[in-house]
Amino acid sequence: MIDVSEVITDPDFAQAYVVHRRSDSWAAGRTLSSEAPIKMVGVITVADAKTLNQLPEGDRVTGLMCFYATKELFTTRDQGTSDQIEWRGERYRVKQVFPYGDYGYYKAIGERMAGD
């Protein structure tokens, strides 16, 4: 199989971003949450520039971005919630992950968390 991880981290295409990974643990009868920032570099592309959610309290504009990484990204799992990716001052919640690990990379689709 072809390993394309070199393209994912190539400085001509890649950008830096931070993955905020939350995890939960159980201690003294309570759930404790913690968040760890993970610095990553990868290609970022537009998946859907604008999505309009029409809610009773008003319209909310979000957007979808594709984040490519050489390390695995996660949606909701047993030990915590979906990864959040910080890029250009915005946070995106990972909604879907395509596990292309056999080819040296992972593709995640993230939705912008703050709506206009």
Side-chain angles (χ1 to χ4, degrees):
M1 292 191 195
I2 298 173
D3 184 350
V4 297
S5 60
E6 278 187 39
V7 176
I8 301 299
T9 58
D10 187 310
D12 291 332
F13 303 107
Q15 299 180 50
Y17 57 91
V18 177
V19 173
H20 296 277
R21 183 160 295 155
R22 295 189 67 142
S23 60
D24 296 331
S25 60
W26 187 259
R30 305 181 94 178
T31 301
L32 302 174
S33 294
S34 61
E35 184 176 274
I38 304 165
K39 293 182 181 182
M40 290 194 181
V41 174
V43 175
I44 301 169
T45 61
V46 174
D48 177 17
K50 258 188 190 179
T51 302
L52 177 63
N53 296 321
Q54 295 178 317
L55 307 170
E57 60 272 10
D59 292 346
R60 183 172 184 212
V61 179
T62 61
L64 300 174
M65 299 294 290
C66 291
F67 297 89
Y68 296 83
T70 55
K71 296 178 186 170
E72 193 169 9
L73 298 164
F74 297 103
T75 57
T76 302
R77 59 196 190 290
D78 291 338
Q79 309 305 325
T81 60
S82 295
D83 286 342
Q84 294 179 13
I85 298 173
E86 184 178 350
W87 174 68
R88 292 190 178 175
E90 297 276 357
R91 276 209 186 193
Y92 296 81
R93 183 181 313 277
V94 173
K95 295 183 68 94
Q96 188 172 12
V97 175
F98 298 89
Y100 298 130
D102 290 344
Y103 302 101
Y105 73 100
Y106 297 87
K107 174 185 175 182
I109 296 179
E111 181 177 30
R112 190 166 68 104
M113 295 174 65
D116 292 338

